[in-house]
Amino acid sequence: MIKARITPASRPGGQWRRAQTITAYLFILPNFIFFFTFFLIPVAGAVALAFMEYLPGSQRFVGLDNFRAVFADPLFGVALRNTAVYTFFVVLFWLGKALLIAYLLDPLSKFTQTFFKSAFYLPSVTSGVIISLVWLWIFNPTFGLLNALLNLLGLDSVAWLGNTSTALPALIFMHVVMGGGSSIVLLSAALARIPRELYETALLDGASRLGVFRNVIVPLIQPTLLYLVVTGTINTFQVFESVYIMTQGGPQFSTTTVVYLIYETAFVQFQLGTASAQAMILFLFTFVLAAVQFKWLGRSVEY
């Protein structure tokens, strides 16, 4: 008796599964082409530029000279410090604001929650350029809204964006006020998944509301908090448009961030090799910081 050899393609349903696999690859092919063309190739080009001296009409391999130049530049240290300070305070206050608002919205009706979440999410879908222009008027030393309120209280006007001691805090304040919409939505969803019986049991056992928040709510939403801290840190490290529109890195480099410095090095001074080296250092710094956050904050997270 001769037995026919059964291959994966000749098994029942094998051809259908193969056709299904080919169809799936065809669906992801357009997206992969765009990803390869507009992301992977430019990133590979930027990595190559970091080791070259790139001038119009000539390119020369210089090894690690661009990285040595970046670390020897005191302005890069200032930009890195400004970016770190900006990121620390924006993520801290923006996440605290989002957590407080989500906690206050949690007991409300679905309709009320939807209204407020939509209102807080609105700045996230508004152009950053428009938001920066509105806050330029608010911070204006002559006819701005903030100084008008100070004058009503009998206080002197302040050059919020023209003073080295107030320019960076003003930018931080703007981003804390306008940011956090998507975080409120995610935290509200995380709070809604917590069984209400846990709240009631803890309160019946004599726990205070602060104790319930610290010992019941925070541990249960810790995966969401970890995600928001990591993504928020990465996003705020890339702050650019508000600095470009509102302060141009001034006064006296007090608001110069790393990404703004990369822009100036590349497109004002036309030192593309040095700018690429700065971008590589920023990427490595952000990657290490995210890994530390996952290692440190993710120890007690239970998925």
Side-chain angles (χ1 to χ4, degrees):
M1 181 177 181
I2 301 174
K3 294 183 179 179
R5 186 180 178 185
I6 299 177
T7 62
S10 62
R11 287 173 185 163
Q15 290 186 348
W16 180 83
R17 281 195 294 273
R18 189 171 59 181
Q20 194 178 34
T21 303
I22 293 173
T23 305
Y25 279 117
L26 288 176
F27 269 108
I28 66 173
L29 183 61
N31 187 48
F32 177 76
I33 290 174
F34 278 104
F35 178 75
F36 182 80
T37 305
F38 296 107
F39 182 78
L40 286 183
I41 291 179
V43 167
V47 173
L49 275 178
F51 299 95
M52 298 173 65
E53 182 186 51
Y54 188 91
L55 297 173
S58 67
Q59 297 86 37
R60 185 170 63 92
F61 181 77
V62 294
L64 297 176
D65 286 356
N66 287 329
F67 292 90
R68 294 191 189 97
V70 171
F71 285 116
D73 184 5
L75 185 55
F76 184 76
V78 172
L80 198 59
R81 184 195 63 197
N82 289 341
T83 307
V85 171
Y86 172 86
T87 299
F88 175 79
F89 285 106
V90 167
V91 173
L92 178 67
F93 289 111
W94 147 81
L95 191 58
K97 183 195 83 172
L99 184 57
L100 176 64
I101 292 174
Y103 181 66
L104 293 176
L105 291 178
D106 190 50
L108 303 180
S109 66
K110 292 292 182 186
F111 176 80
T112 310
Q113 283 191 34
T114 303
F115 171 78
F116 281 106
K117 283 190 283 189
S118 302
F120 283 113
Y121 194 76
L122 188 60
S124 302
V125 295
T126 306
S127 168
V129 175
I130 295 174
I131 292 175
S132 299
L133 291 175
V134 170
W135 279 87
L136 263 180
W137 166 70
I138 293 175
F139 287 133
N140 190 286
T142 306
F143 51 82
L145 177 64
L146 205 52
N147 278 340
L149 294 175
L150 289 180
N151 296 153
L152 283 177
L153 298 173
L155 301 174
D156 295 331
S157 298
V158 177
W160 298 101
L161 300 177
N163 193 316
T164 55
S165 60
T166 57
L168 188 60
L171 290 180
I172 293 172
F173 178 74
M174 181 193 78
H175 282 89
V176 170
V177 171
M178 301 306 295
S182 57
S183 306
I184 292 171
V185 174
L186 289 174
L187 287 171
S188 296
L191 289 172
R193 290 200 305 268
I194 300 177
R196 292 297 182 264
E197 293 80 7
L198 292 178
Y199 296 162
E200 297 167 1
T201 303
L203 292 174
L204 287 174
D205 287 342
S208 63
R209 294 210 173 264
L210 181 61
V212 172
F213 180 81
R214 188 177 60 222
N215 300 317
V216 176
I217 295 176
V218 171
L220 291 176
I221 63 172
Q222 206 159 344
T224 306
L225 291 175
L226 174 63
Y227 168 78
L228 292 175
V229 168
V230 174
T231 55
T233 303
I234 293 172
N235 290 332
T236 49
F237 252 90
Q238 302 173 40
V239 59
F240 170 74
E241 59 189 11
S242 58
V243 175
Y244 177 75
I245 293 170
M246 298 177 70
T247 64
Q248 297 274 309
Q252 298 178 19
F253 307 110
S254 60
T255 59
T256 299
T257 59
V258 175
V259 175
Y260 182 76
L261 183 63
I262 293 171
Y263 160 77
E264 282 216 322
T265 306
F267 300 108
V268 178
Q269 303 171 13
F270 297 105
Q271 298 178 4
L272 297 181
T274 307
S276 297
Q278 292 171 339
M280 292 300 106
I281 293 170
L282 176 64
F283 167 75
L284 292 175
F285 194 83
T286 309
F287 181 81
V288 170
L289 192 59
V292 170
Q293 287 176 329
F294 267 114
K295 183 74 175 177
W296 184 47
L297 298 176
R299 285 178 301 184
S300 56
V301 172
E302 295 182 3
Y303 295 95

